């Protein structure tokens, strides 16, 4: 009796081990992409997202499409702007919707990249935003979704914030804001109102992003500090004539 029970148990165990081995072999035969890094590379008035991926599976990964899910976007006050070891294999141009119409938008771009098993690849997404006025500045918060192979496998990024152009996204520090107290009162109030609107929007977007450049992280900290002092400085503006 005991021998029969042990025999049945052994058969069940062998079946379980066999099924696990088949499942493991099947999983190992698939391509599996890992999004190693996404960084921002400023280029003139536009911005490029630098994507680095690695195929940790055992089959080639054929990248077919990129979806850019725009979570939030804002147009800041215009101003005058001045104009790795793993080489980039391609650059794709993508047009983003204007910030006023971007929140919730899905931007799709066809890709043509193949990453062999155990290999890595790097390519750029050159993004262009609506540039309706000289010195326009934008901030976007997006999530990237890469689709690959016939079964539409997906790899999704964390929430990413970037500026267009990144080099011109900045805020006045509390010390610099005091300089506006020496201009005509009405003009100072107008500037403070506009800056407060920009800084509130910047904080809303950047504080919800999981990935951003060190420069944008400094912008977030400066915007938060300036928002704390703007009401104090507004009280110090002398009353206008009449």
């Amino acid at each position: 009796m005991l021998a029969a029970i042990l025999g049945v148990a052994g058969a069940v165990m062998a079946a379980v081990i066999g099924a696990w081995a088949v499942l493991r072999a099947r999983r190992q035969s698939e391509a599996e992409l890992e999004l190693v890094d996404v960084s921002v590379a400023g280029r003139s008035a536009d911005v490029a997202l630098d994507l680095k991926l690695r195929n940790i599976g055992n089959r080639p990964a054929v990248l077919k499409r990129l979806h850019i899910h725009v979570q939030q976007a804002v147009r800041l006050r215009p101003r005058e702007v001045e104009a790795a070891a793993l080489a980039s294999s391609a650059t794709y141009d993508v047009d983003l919707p204007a910030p006023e119409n971007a929140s919730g938008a899905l931007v799709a771009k066809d890709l043509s990249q193949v990453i062999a098993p155990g290999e890595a690849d790097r390519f750029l997404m050159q993004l262009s935003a609506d540039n309706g006025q000289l010195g326009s500045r934008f901030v976007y918060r997006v999530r990237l979704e890469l689709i690959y192979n016939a079964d539409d496998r997906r790899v999704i990024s964390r929430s990413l914030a970037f500026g267009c152009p990144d080099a011109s996204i900045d805020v006045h520090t509390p010390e610099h804001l005091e300089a506006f107290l020496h201009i005509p009162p009405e003009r100072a109030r107008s500037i403070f109102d506009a800056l407060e609107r920009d800084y509130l929007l910047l904080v809303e977007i950047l504080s919800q992003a999981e990935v951003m450049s060190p420069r944008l992280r400094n912008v977030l900290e400066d915007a938060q500090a300036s928002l704390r002092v703007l009401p104090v400085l507004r009280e110090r503006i002398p009353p206008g004539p009449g």
Side-chain angles (χ1 to χ4, degrees):
M1 182 67 177
L2 180 60
I5 293 175
L6 291 176
V8 171
V12 171
M13 184 62 70
V16 170
I17 293 174
W20 174 82
V22 170
L23 181 60
R24 184 172 183 271
R26 184 177 300 164
R27 285 179 176 172
Q28 286 182 335
S29 69
E30 294 175 348
E32 185 175 353
L33 282 184
E34 178 184 47
L35 186 56
V36 178
D37 182 56
V38 180
S39 57
V40 177
R43 291 190 169 189
S44 185
D46 300 327
V47 66
L49 298 184
D50 189 343
L51 283 72
K52 300 180 181 68
L53 299 103
R54 183 173 59 181
N55 185 356
I56 57 178
N58 285 348
R59 284 189 177 180
V62 181
L63 275 73
K64 303 189 299 183
R65 196 170 300 108
L66 170 74
H67 286 170
I68 301 177
H69 299 269
V70 182
Q71 297 171 304
Q72 280 182 292
V74 60
R75 184 193 301 270
L76 302 177
R77 294 174 67 244
R79 53 166 284 185
E80 286 190 20
V81 296
E82 298 177 0
L86 181 63
S88 171
S89 62
T91 298
Y92 298 89
D93 294 322
V94 179
D95 291 326
L96 294 175
E100 293 81 1
N101 307 313
S103 295
L106 171 63
V107 181
K109 181 67 177 181
D110 290 337
L111 303 178
S112 182
Q113 302 286 123
V114 179
I115 307 178
E119 297 293 327
D121 191 17
R122 170 191 175 198
F123 57 92
L124 301 178
M125 305 302 303
Q126 182 73 37
L127 306 177
S128 298
D130 168 68
N131 217 358
Q133 50 186 316
L134 183 64
S136 291
R137 301 180 300 154
F138 318 107
V139 176
Y140 286 79
R141 183 167 64 88
V142 305
R143 192 179 296 276
L144 307 181
E145 180 183 19
L146 288 153
I147 303 169
Y148 62 98
N149 284 7
D151 55 352
D152 284 349
R153 295 174 65 84
R154 295 163 191 260
V155 57
I156 300 174
S157 76
R158 293 184 290 168
S159 183
L160 167 72
F162 56 85
C164 299
D166 186 66
S168 71
I169 306 300
D170 55 13
V171 301
H172 294 282
T173 62
E175 295 77 15
H176 291 152
L177 289 173
E178 292 203 25
F180 292 110
L181 296 176
H182 305 294
I183 65 176
E186 288 305 313
R187 176 64 176 154
R189 289 191 187 91
S190 175
I191 290 176
F192 281 175
D193 289 346
L195 291 178
E196 185 174 50
R197 174 258 182 195
D198 277 4
Y199 297 171
L200 284 170
L201 291 170
L202 275 174
V203 169
E204 179 185 353
I205 289 181
L206 297 180
S207 62
Q208 297 182 71
E210 299 169 277
V211 180
M212 70 184 79
S213 66
R215 190 176 188 286
L216 273 188
R217 198 164 296 281
N218 290 336
V219 166
L220 172 59
E221 293 173 358
D222 287 343
Q224 290 170 326
S226 293
L227 283 172
R228 289 193 291 269
V229 304
L230 271 172
V232 178
L233 294 177
R234 191 181 277 111
E235 291 293 327
R236 293 172 52 189
I237 299 176

